[in-house]
Amino acid sequence: MKPRTAEIICEYGPFPGVDDVHGVSYDGRQVWFASGDRLNALSPATGQTLHSIPVPAHAGTAFDGQHLFQIAEDRIQKLDPDTGRVLATIPAPDGGNSGLAWAEGTLWVGQYQNRKIHRVDPETGKILSTIESNRFVTGVTWVDHELWHGTWEDDESELRRVDAQTGEVLERLAMPRGIRVSGLESDGDTRFFCGGGSTGKLRVVRRPGSSRE
């Protein structure tokens, strides 16, 4: 399958004190991005960082409509986004976790070098199902019942829409060479928010087929 070229609409950052952007999520108003030792809330309208939560944040981030979830090494922490308080903790799957998304009552965990995406019970951490990729998996997101994930390998990155049951690749968006995707999140409509790894930036990519394309 020949990839389409990703259309980068704009970019935010780099941000003061941020060396790397890891997980990315969106709560309907703010973009949250993980930067190692904290989660940061960004206004997509202004590009300004509004506030942050001091919490281990070296990988994927997700939002369930009320709470944030953050991968912190071997565990996934459930957080109150207003106070930053840790409300619950579950074990993360073994093996290089990267992306994190919430959909239909479960967490979806991307694994980088293992090239897998696990569907995980948010109460227990039990792996419910697994699909595999032929590329390193970074960020994971859902939009309009579609599963998308980022790839990053050999200085090349793509956004891929895949079958959530089989892992079959249904659509590919190729980022310009040298522009990498770490975290990935949809705004539920026209935009993907893409973490830029060690550039310390966030980029916005137009979602194909979205209502205002």
Side-chain angles (χ1 to χ4, degrees):
M1 177 190 301
K2 185 176 180 180
R4 298 171 61 176
T5 300
E7 180 186 351
I8 299 174
I9 303 169
C10 67
E11 66 179 31
Y12 307 111
F15 307 96
V18 172
D19 295 324
D20 293 273
V21 174
H22 304 291
V24 181
S25 195
Y26 182 64
D27 66 8
R29 297 180 301 109
Q30 305 167 122
V31 178
W32 292 87
F33 66 94
S35 61
D37 60 356
R38 65 186 189 272
L39 266 173
N40 309 275
L42 171 91
S43 166
T46 67
Q48 298 299 307
T49 303
L50 304 174
H51 56 95
S52 62
I53 297 172
V55 64
H58 292 93
T61 310
F63 181 69
D64 70 354
Q66 185 176 1
H67 306 104
L68 289 165
F69 292 83
Q70 178 61 51
I71 296 175
E73 298 179 348
D74 61 350
R75 61 199 186 280
I76 300 173
Q77 294 184 325
K78 181 179 181 179
L79 306 169
D80 183 320
D82 295 321
T83 67
R85 187 164 67 93
V86 178
L87 304 175
T89 300
I90 60 172
D94 291 334
N97 298 303
S98 51
L100 189 64
W102 175 272
E104 300 176 348
T106 56
L107 290 166
W108 295 72
V109 182
Q111 292 196 313
Y112 186 62
Q113 291 186 325
N114 281 358
R115 306 183 186 197
K116 294 179 179 180
I117 301 174
H118 299 294
R119 185 168 67 94
V120 171
D121 186 316
E123 300 294 329
T124 66
K126 179 182 178 181
I127 295 174
L128 304 175
S129 62
T130 300
I131 58 175
E132 297 190 6
S133 174
N134 64 354
R135 304 286 286 179
F136 291 164
V137 175
T138 58
V140 183
T141 192
W142 278 84
V143 55
D144 291 342
H145 307 291
E146 297 175 352
L147 175 60
W148 290 78
H149 73 84
T151 70
W152 178 353
E153 197 164 347
D154 299 330
D155 209 29
E156 295 181 352
S157 278
E158 292 182 348
L159 308 184
R160 290 184 169 188
R161 180 167 64 91
V162 299
D163 186 305
Q165 302 296 320
T166 67
E168 177 188 358
V169 179
L170 305 175
E171 189 171 2
R172 297 165 58 198
L173 299 180
M175 300 292 280
R177 188 169 183 84
I179 293 183
R180 301 166 177 174
V181 175
S182 50
L184 177 65
E185 175 67 307
S186 165
D187 73 346
D189 190 9
T190 64
R191 300 172 294 177
F192 288 118
F193 298 107
C194 303
S198 60
T199 65
K201 295 182 178 182
L202 275 167
R203 297 182 176 91
V204 181
V205 170
R206 189 181 305 279
R207 176 185 157 220
S210 55
S211 61
R212 301 191 191 101
E213 185 184 13

